[in-house]
Amino acid sequence: MPDKYPLPLGDPASLGFAGKPLQHLDRLIRQHIEEGRYPGAQIALARHGKLALFRNYGDAKTKPRNVPATDETLFLLFSQTKVLTSSAVWALIEEGRLSFMDRIADHLPEFAQRGKGEITLHQVMTHQGGFPSGDVTKATWTDHARMRAEVCDFSLDWTPGTRLQYHPRAAHLTQAMVIEAVTGQDYRDVIRDKVLGPLGLADDIFVGVPASQQERCADTYAAELRDNSPEFSSHTGERGDDAMGGIPMHRGLGPHVRGESDRIRGLGTIGASETFGHGGAGTSYSWADPTSGVSFTYITNFMSPDPWHTARLDRIANLVHAAID
């Protein structure tokens, strides 16, 4: 386990975890790596504010040589960063600087073009904004004035509020630009100051990894070339998410909730209905169960396709749920 971690260290048995399901979890992850499913992985398991497990598996990099994953390795979170951005929005709401019912155009007046004037922050955060295909160019990564312009130029795919469809890039980017408009700061700095810093995670999670930390980054692999280079409750009920094959994702204001559906993605089919979390494209999932006080993160460095990806997430999550006493 890490020498320095925000949570005090415990052990699985004293925290009420059964040993056998956790042994099966360890075996399954090792089996995945032996089968070549992904080069490396990292897991963390906590309960009631104490860290029960923190383990690294396999390799962070495989070329030009194999580099083992360690406690210092940074894995690419993909869409798990959406929850960090939403958390910064929550912080600004707690300060009275934003409201979920604010229109995006209240803070980004030019966002009103193309029929988007009445879209609320709540609709964007619950993926009901109507512009799921919105995205920005790579040039905006280092030019946030251009990012704001491109976000405000997003076109509608359908009438806001009439459908539920995951906005893979658009919702996160829109929130980011609202954060910058309200604070006058880079949204990544706001996340660091208001979310990661207070949690003691400012040196362990980065939204935009600085050059000085790049050596810690695991390479990310997929059938298509990928890299990791420098360059609270359900608000949508049983409505099916069109981007998830109609599965009700019980979208909250950032994460999603397991709910009562037979089909659910990433949180485990035997998990408590209150379990909430979020995943990263083809690689990872993090979740917490408020009924048991358990939280769990599983991160890998290969973008695995479905149906295998979704099936393995269910098995991984269910082994943890099964270990909860």
Side-chain angles (χ1 to χ4, degrees), residues 182-195:
V182 170
T183 65
Q185 296 177 262
D186 188 306
Y187 80 97
R188 295 166 296 186
D189 294 334
V190 177
I191 291 172
R192 186 176 181 84
D193 294 343
K194 295 187 179 295
V195 181

Side-chain angles (χ1 to χ4, degrees), residues 149-167:
E150 292 189 14
V151 164
C152 290
D153 197 43
F154 284 163
S155 296
L156 289 176
D157 298 301
W158 34 265
T159 303
T162 62
R163 291 171 58 182
L164 169 63
Q165 184 176 341
Y166 184 56
H167 290 43

Side-chain angles (χ1 to χ4, degrees), residues 101-212:
M101 292 301 104
D102 285 357
R103 298 176 304 173
I104 302 300
D106 293 338
H107 305 286
L108 303 171
E110 62 272 40
F111 188 84
Q113 62 187 312
R114 299 181 181 272
K116 304 192 304 297
E118 299 303 313
I119 296 173
T120 65
L121 186 58
H122 180 272
Q123 287 175 323
V124 170
M125 295 180 74
T126 57
H127 300 274
Q128 300 179 80
F131 49 98
S133 62
D135 201 355
V136 297
T137 63
K138 187 175 180 178
T140 68
W141 297 359
T142 55
D143 182 349
H144 283 202
R146 181 168 179 170
M147 182 180 289
R148 172 170 171 156
E150 292 189 14
V151 164
C152 290
D153 197 43
F154 284 163
S155 296
L156 289 176
D157 298 301
W158 34 265
T159 303
T162 62
R163 291 171 58 182
L164 169 63
Q165 184 176 341
Y166 184 56
H167 290 43
R169 299 269 293 166
H172 158 78
L173 292 165
T174 302
Q175 290 178 69
M177 293 301 96
V178 169
I179 291 170
E180 293 194 355
V182 170
T183 65
Q185 296 177 262
D186 188 306
Y187 80 97
R188 295 166 296 186
D189 294 334
V190 177
I191 291 172
R192 186 176 181 84
D193 294 343
K194 295 187 179 295
V195 181
L196 299 176
L199 291 174
L201 294 170
D203 294 324
D204 297 291
I205 299 177
F206 298 91
V207 181
V209 180
S212 62

